[in-house]
Amino acid sequence: MQRDYVIGVDCSTTAAKAVVWNSRGDSLAQARCAFGLSQPHPGWGEQNAEDWWAASVEAIRRASQAVDVSRIGAVCITHQRESFVCLDAEGLPLRPAMLWLDTRATEEVSAYGTEEVHRLTGKPANPTPAWYKLHWLAANEPDTVSRIGKVVDVHGFLVHRFTGQWLTSWASADPLGLVDMTTFDYDQSLLDAVGLERSQLSELRAPGSVLGHLTDDAARQLGLPRDVVVVAGAGDGQCAQLGSGATVGGRAYLNLGSGIVSGTFSEHYSYAQEYRTLSAAQPGAYTLETFIGGGTINLTWFVEKFSGITQGALGLDLTPEQILETAAAKLPPGAEGLLALPYWTGALTPYWDHHARGVLVGLTGIHGKAHVYRALLEGLAFEQRLLTTGAEQALAEPVAEIIALGGGSRSPVWCQIIADVMQRSVSVVREPESTCLGAGMLAASAVGLHDSVAAAAKAMSGLGVSYEPRPQQSTVYDRLYDVYRDIYPSNRALFARLADAARP
């Protein structure tokens, strides 16, 4: 019996998506099942971990029903990173899962975020890694901590439901901030600091390795054959890098989503404030990653709060974003003297300042909605230029090509702005679900559809339309960038003062 299909599952912050892939990287069937999140207090972000499983089951069942399930050989998971759940001795949640976007542990960052922790984990001190939230739990929910049986990432939680084993990929666990990035193993000093034993964590395996087979119960719920192989995956950023084919020097992936994540491939470990270092989806390699917390959510904010434009406005079958983009495209580079600092959700790389806020500089009476929208697009491009230039310092060769994916990559105006601002070629991925495709590549390699992860990436990825930088526009953006990069340093102290003054 030919087993030439694999399933990639992306359990993200808002939904689980399952895609059935063949060995060429063609999407044969897919399904999506959404779930919610809770923000009970400002800065908090929580989720019912059982929803990860229920949504994944539903997505896999619906996607696999459209194909011959007897041809499915493996399933592999990619997922939201840094999110974790505390489980009891029976493997049931003790409390809601704490998500990557949860920033409650700011005091713990100040107290425990040292240069040594940065060196070990590759993660500059910030509230995103779970390690700081575990410190918060120890201080604020000691009863929960006393009853912990397991602490698991999203991948580890789902793998246990698939196989009955407490296993995870080191490329899934390392964003938690508990792993020594030079050994790809848990660091004892980090575990001791938050009072955890190794027995309370999933065992680590290389991404792309076979973890086991489906249990009888899991196979029944998923509607899959019992002998389907479960393959170790990686976080969504690393799988996006793999799925986009940005796995060689000189290329960077750029995921234009709710947040904007960009990563470059490195065979050697390094760490710096300009990026965070993660295990790549290819075992033994690294992803040097930059992150803008506010990406398309900044655009959505403007559309919903200020644009006054609704779906179908003007009798056109266009989204508000498409209408604003059309108007913004008629404006010159620089939006006639308007610049936007896109720190709507604070600053991550390279400043790691949760007090930072968004700024519009240069407002005059001539500026309207289209100007602000263009300034937001340009501000995100300027910020990405700053971040990519900083990360390049650790690379063997400079980034010459940007591989764009995510919802924002469907905007020709924005992709052209990015090419002009960054003065690099921007190519859009052929497959919109490239994050899920990365998981599919790991699965395809594990079951022998390709000889290696690298071979799978080469065979299953592809590019579509490309945008080249235009010299005249790039010259204008060079002058504006010189102004842009001084906006945050000039206001850093002011942001801290504002945070203090606005405190209740």
Side-chain angles (χ1 to χ4, degrees):
M1 183 183 299
Q2 189 177 26
R3 293 295 184 90
D4 55 350
Y5 296 167
V6 295
I7 300 179
V9 180
D10 181 5
C11 190
S12 71
T13 315
T14 57
K17 175 168 283 188
V19 182
V20 182
W21 305 100
N22 64 18
S23 61
R24 298 186 302 275
D26 300 322
S27 171
L28 305 178
Q30 60 181 270
R32 181 180 185 273
C33 184
F35 48 81
L37 65 86
S38 172
Q39 295 181 292
H41 302 284
W44 290 31
E46 299 183 337
Q47 215 156 42
N48 181 358
E50 294 291 348
D51 289 345
W52 302 339
W53 173 242
S56 296
V57 168
E58 180 67 16
I60 291 171
R61 285 188 65 89
R62 285 163 48 195
S64 61
Q65 286 171 352
V67 301
D68 180 356
V69 294
S70 68
R71 297 178 68 173
I72 296 173
V75 60
C76 183
I77 303 158
T78 185
H79 54 94
Q80 56 170 306
R81 297 173 295 179
E82 291 99 8
S83 300
F84 71 99
V85 62
C86 299
L87 307 173
D88 65 16
E90 304 302 318
L92 300 175
L94 287 167
R95 68 175 319 283
M98 299 177 76
L99 304 187
W100 63 271
L101 52 76
D102 189 303
T103 59
R104 74 183 75 181
T106 53
E107 292 183 6
E108 286 71 22
V109 171
S110 298
Y112 302 107
T114 65
E115 178 67 16
E116 176 63 7
V117 172
H118 185 187
R119 183 191 69 79
L120 285 169
T121 66
K123 318 297 185 290
N126 75 98
T128 310
W131 190 70
Y132 297 101
K133 299 183 182 79
L134 288 167
H135 277 291
W136 185 94
L137 284 172
N140 294 275
E141 297 183 15
D143 182 58
T144 297
V145 173
S146 70
R147 294 186 292 139
I148 287 177
K150 294 286 182 183
V151 173
V152 295
D153 59 86
V154 179
H155 182 272
F157 183 84
L158 293 177
V159 165
H160 182 257
R161 295 296 175 92
F162 282 152
T163 69
Q165 301 181 79
W166 293 111
L167 301 172
T168 193
S169 157
W170 67 56
S172 294
D174 91 65
L176 297 180
L178 299 168
V179 174
D180 182 336
M181 293 301 293
T182 63
T183 64
F184 301 113
D185 192 14
Y186 295 118
D187 178 80
Q188 192 61 48
S189 67
L190 295 173
L191 299 185
D192 290 344
V194 292
L196 287 178
E197 302 289 339
R198 282 176 173 264
S199 61
Q200 294 175 294
L201 302 165
S202 300
E203 294 182 22
L204 299 179
R205 297 289 187 269
S209 61
V210 173
L211 299 179
H213 295 85
L214 296 176
T215 65
D216 289 337
D217 183 57
R220 177 185 56 78
Q221 292 189 61
L222 297 168
L224 297 176
R226 166 69 176 79
D227 58 352
V228 165
V229 170
V230 179
V231 176
D236 50 12
Q238 300 104 302
C239 277
Q241 180 180 43
L242 182 62
S244 66
T247 55
V248 295
R251 275 186 165 187
Y253 82 90
L254 180 62
N255 195 344
L256 298 170
S258 298
I260 295 179
V261 184
S262 182
T264 51
F265 180 82
S266 176
E267 295 181 350
H268 307 288
Y269 178 64
S270 62
Y271 67 99
Q273 291 292 120
E274 287 77 14
Y275 52 85
R276 58 182 183 181
T277 307
L278 300 107
S279 163
Q282 302 96 308
Y286 298 91
T287 297
L288 310 185
E289 192 175 88
T290 66
F291 190 23
I292 305 172
T296 58
I297 60 171
N298 289 16
L299 306 178
T300 302
W301 164 85
F302 179 71
V303 168
E304 293 180 350
K305 302 291 187 182
F306 293 101
S307 76
I309 302 172
T310 58
Q311 184 80 26
L314 308 178
L316 300 173
D317 186 22
L318 296 173
T319 65
E321 289 84 355
Q322 288 171 322
I323 294 171
L324 285 164
E325 181 177 294
T326 301
K330 298 183 180 299
L331 296 171
E336 296 186 304
L338 185 63
L339 293 174
L341 185 71
Y343 295 163
W344 267 240
T345 58
L348 296 173
T349 49
Y351 301 121
W352 306 101
D353 182 0
H354 59 275
H355 292 314
R357 292 293 179 264
V359 175
L360 289 172
V361 177
L363 278 169
T364 70
I366 68 168
H367 293 126
K369 296 173 184 177
H371 292 86
V372 176
Y373 197 78
R374 183 174 184 108
L376 290 171
L377 296 176
E378 291 176 337
L380 291 164
F382 284 134
E383 185 67 11
Q384 192 56 55
R385 174 172 169 174
L386 177 74
L387 301 183
T388 299
T389 301
E392 277 181 324
Q393 299 174 20
L395 300 176
E397 59 183 293
V399 174
E401 184 180 14
I402 305 293
I403 311 299
L405 65 154
S409 68
R410 294 193 289 269
S411 165
V413 172
W414 198 8
C415 287
Q416 186 61 63
I417 287 172
I418 293 169
D420 292 338
V421 168
M422 297 188 68
Q423 299 178 24
R424 294 168 170 88
S425 171
V426 175
S427 299
V428 179
V429 293
R430 179 190 66 198
E431 173 50 60
E433 299 298 336
S434 287
T435 300
C436 230
L437 178 58
M441 291 171 176
L442 290 170
S445 172
V447 295
L449 298 182
H450 295 287
D451 293 337
S452 65
V453 175
K458 184 176 181 180
M460 298 173 72
S461 65
L463 301 176
V465 63
S466 293
Y467 302 85
E468 298 297 327
R470 299 170 296 181
Q472 184 175 352
Q473 286 82 355
S474 292
T475 298
V476 175
Y477 282 130
D478 267 344
R479 297 196 302 269
L480 293 167
Y481 178 69
D482 283 341
V483 178
Y484 173 84
R485 63 184 179 183
D486 287 339
I487 297 175
Y488 172 77
S490 298
N491 287 280
R492 180 166 191 158
L494 195 64
F495 290 136
R497 289 174 57 199
L498 177 60
D500 185 62
R503 188 174 292 116

